[in-house]
Amino acid sequence: MTPKAEDVIVLSPDEFPRYWYNILPDLPESLPPPQNPPTGGDRIAELQQIMIPECLRMEFSDNRWIPIPDELREVYIRIGRPRPLMRCRRLERYLKTPAKLYVKREDMGSPTGSHKINTALAQAFFAAKAGFEGLVTETGAGQWGSALAYATALFDLRCVIFWVRFAYNWKPGRRIFMQLYRGEVHASPSPITEVGRKLLEKDPNHPGSLSIAISEGLEYARVHDEFRYALGSVLNHVLLHQTIIGLETLLQCEKAGIQPDIMISSLGGGSNFGGFVLPAIGEVLKGKRQCEFLAAQSLAAPNLVKGEYRYDYADAAGTTPLLKMYTLGHDTEMPVIRAEGLRYHAAAPIISYLRYKGIVRAVAYAIDEKEVFEAARILAQTEGITPAPESAYSAKAAIDEALRCRESGEEKVILFSISGHGFLDLDAYAEKLFKEELRR
Ligand SMILES: Cc1ncc(COP(=O)(O)O)c(C=O)c1O
């Protein structure tokens, strides 16, 4: 059971996808479209003024395959794509499971630490081509802000980032990373927007949330014509850009001669989960494959597990069009967790629809995150992978599934994705795993 060379399934740069996969035309029915709020205002038309035109076209495209421009493909290859798929024999042995565990490594080689770079590069590329001066965004964990700062620097754009305040305070290393790549970082709620000022009046130490940071970013984009808004999750075009993860994975499965029985990843808004599973779901929908899909969430924001499937806003202030999603309510307060990237009130419309149809399942783990960080420790000590706090949820769900196989004796092929590394999250590890030792 020692690791073997053939357990590392790599692809050559030539094999990196030439197209993104758009699942919209393969869904059994049209995805419920965005709607304007009943209170008035044409929010859908307003998107033309705040979003990157090419991304907006992709958002509603009917084309199954959307070409990745050659220039952008080269950048993806420069940042280390395709990324490996690896068999986890040491973890299998540790768990005494007959299941076969494979991990897709978005953490490995990512210059910013996670899968977020996959859409950041695409959005910065199209914004630069269209001649905009900069991009503005929100960030929760800081992974998306880091990715967008990096991508905008590469394409000579400016970058303004509203970062959920308590995560901003936790992660000075990520802040410096964003600044190194010329990102202008504001703790959110911030005094530079109307939305932020109102919240700070009520509570000068407001911890913030992803949906508040989105409201601030949108407000900034509305008053700065030369800027466009870039979103790091939820929207169709973001999931589309992330499908390079799943397309690589399917090719790697084919090379290794394996058929996944279940694919697992963490889910906040749904971008890494969607990117990982949508190409396989497309094949399931065409009857070409059988596979289960499991999203791992936190009970702090169990949008797929406990949310309602209905129209809701994507931001806290309610300034976006309404999207049909599993939602906890856009103004719901959610407890602070270390996996800040999972603390979002709703799941992407595409993933929500697939959950509604029973194609995607979800599980949510306790708010104290002890079991999740324990899974991260096991993954680190068996496979030498240090997951980001968000990615540790994926590891936890994969370990649980492998343990179920130990009970049932099933030799399932379990594929899970590690969306990012935790090198800049070691204080979270300290708090969750070593607090007692540190006190001594
Ligand atoms: C490493 C990592 N994984 C997962 C997530 C969750 O987001 P999403 O559901 O869009 O993949 C985040 C969000 O910040 C993240 O940074």
Side-chain angles (χ1 to χ4, degrees):
M1 286 262 236
T2 43
K4 297 180 181 156
E6 68 265 25
D7 287 346
V8 184
I9 306 137
V10 288
L11 299 175
S12 71
D14 246 16
E15 292 170 303
F16 178 69
R18 291 179 190 275
Y19 296 86
W20 288 296
Y21 170 62
N22 177 16
I23 198 166
L24 294 183
D26 289 334
L27 294 178
E29 60 214 323
S30 301
L31 195 67
Q35 287 185 355
N36 278 316
T39 46
D42 194 346
R43 300 271 174 81
I44 298 171
E46 195 209 36
L47 296 178
Q48 312 275 357
Q49 268 95 60
I50 50 180
M51 288 183 61
I52 304 158
E54 192 58 40
C55 292
L56 201 53
R57 269 193 287 282
M58 289 176 180
E59 187 67 19
F60 300 109
S61 172
D62 283 336
N63 298 336
R64 181 172 292 121
W65 296 103
I66 298 185
I68 304 176
D70 282 347
E71 207 184 319
L72 179 58
R73 234 184 130 251
E74 271 170 37
V75 184
Y76 279 131
I77 290 165
R78 270 175 179 272
I79 61 143
R81 298 214 77 94
R83 303 217 188 287
L85 179 74
M86 292 180 181
R87 174 93 182 258
C88 303
R89 285 190 199 260
R90 284 167 55 95
L91 179 58
E92 290 168 16
R93 186 171 52 194
Y94 175 87
L95 299 172
K96 300 189 176 62
T97 178
K100 295 183 178 67
L101 281 153
Y102 287 85
V103 61
K104 177 69 172 169
R105 302 286 306 270
E106 284 304 305
D107 62 307
M108 202 167 170
S110 168
T112 62
S114 78
H115 70 292
K116 296 281 180 187
I117 191 66
N118 299 335
T119 181
L121 288 173
Q123 295 194 44
F125 173 83
F126 291 119
K129 280 276 173 257
F132 293 108
E133 196 180 314
L135 290 175
V136 54
T137 198
E138 82 295 338
T139 191
Q143 292 267 19
W144 166 239
S146 303
L148 198 70
Y150 179 97
T152 47
L154 237 55
F155 291 107
D156 291 323
L157 295 167
R158 288 173 57 202
C159 187
V160 174
I161 300 157
F162 290 93
W163 190 1
V164 178
R165 180 177 301 276
F166 70 83
Y168 172 99
N169 289 336
W170 271 345
K171 302 187 185 186
R174 279 238 166 257
R175 192 158 72 232
I176 291 160
F177 186 94
M178 291 180 218
Q179 285 167 344
L180 174 66
Y181 286 96
R182 294 198 297 258
E184 184 187 313
V185 192
H186 302 279
S188 166
S190 79
I192 70 163
T193 68
E194 188 69 35
V195 174
R197 281 191 294 273
K198 273 196 190 139
L199 290 166
L200 288 176
E201 257 168 44
K202 276 193 229 149
D203 176 4
N205 297 314
H206 197 299
S209 77
L210 211 46
S211 5
I212 294 170
I214 296 176
S215 295
E216 288 206 271
L218 286 171
E219 184 183 323
Y220 189 97
R222 280 188 198 103
V223 292
H224 293 84
D225 276 352
E226 67 289 10
F227 272 76
R228 292 283 137 148
Y229 192 77
L231 203 80
S233 189
V234 180
L235 297 183
N236 300 347
H237 69 272
V238 179
L239 274 59
L240 173 87
H241 299 152
Q242 295 291 358
T243 57
I244 53 179
I245 306 172
L247 291 167
E248 285 178 9
T249 305
L250 289 188
L251 186 56
Q252 285 163 318
C253 287
E254 199 183 310
K255 286 201 157 190
I258 52 168
Q259 295 277 4
D261 293 302
I262 181 163
M263 294 177 76
I264 298 171
S265 201
S266 64
L267 185 139
S271 74
N272 89 86
F273 180 78
F276 185 47
V277 303
L278 290 180
I281 290 183
E283 295 189 354
V284 167
L285 292 173
K286 289 184 202 123
K288 288 188 186 163
R289 169 183 299 279
Q290 284 191 329
C291 186
E292 285 181 71
F293 304 96
L294 179 65
Q297 321 206 267
S298 164
L299 277 169
N303 49 44
L304 285 179
V305 175
K306 296 196 172 172
E308 278 177 66
Y309 190 43
R310 64 173 168 88
Y311 275 96
D312 196 8
Y313 298 101
D315 69 323
T319 68
T320 64
L322 293 162
L323 302 176
K324 186 136 189 210
M325 310 179 280
Y326 273 90
T327 176
L328 301 163
H330 65 281
D331 49 5
T332 297
E333 290 198 6
M334 294 165 281
V336 166
I337 49 171
R338 284 297 189 158
E340 169 54 25
L342 302 188
R343 210 174 61 102
Y344 183 64
H345 69 275
I350 291 179
I351 305 298
S352 292
Y353 172 82
L354 292 167
R355 153 91 175 84
Y356 184 65
K357 289 284 163 190
I359 296 167
V360 161
R361 283 191 296 123
V363 61
Y365 295 110
I367 292 169
D368 68 15
E369 298 184 291
K370 282 201 180 116
E371 55 184 353
V372 164
F373 274 85
E374 197 45 48
R377 187 208 304 258
I378 292 171
L379 188 67
Q381 293 179 359
T382 53
E383 295 294 333
I385 298 172
T386 315
E390 292 77 13
S391 317
Y393 284 69
S394 175
K396 167 67 181 154
I399 288 174
D400 282 357
E401 189 63 30
L403 291 174
R404 267 190 289 279
C405 289
R406 183 166 81 187
E407 296 304 309
S408 66
E410 284 171 288
E411 294 181 15
K412 276 191 184 175
V413 175
I414 301 171
L415 255 60
F416 67 109
S417 174
I418 290 298
S419 51
H421 69 62
F423 297 166
L424 294 172
D425 300 281
L426 292 176
D427 58 330
Y429 275 82
E431 181 191 314
K432 299 293 174 182
L433 294 179
F434 303 112
K435 211 170 181 176
E436 294 308 313
E437 285 160 48
L438 290 174
R439 267 205 208 106
R440 273 181 230 138

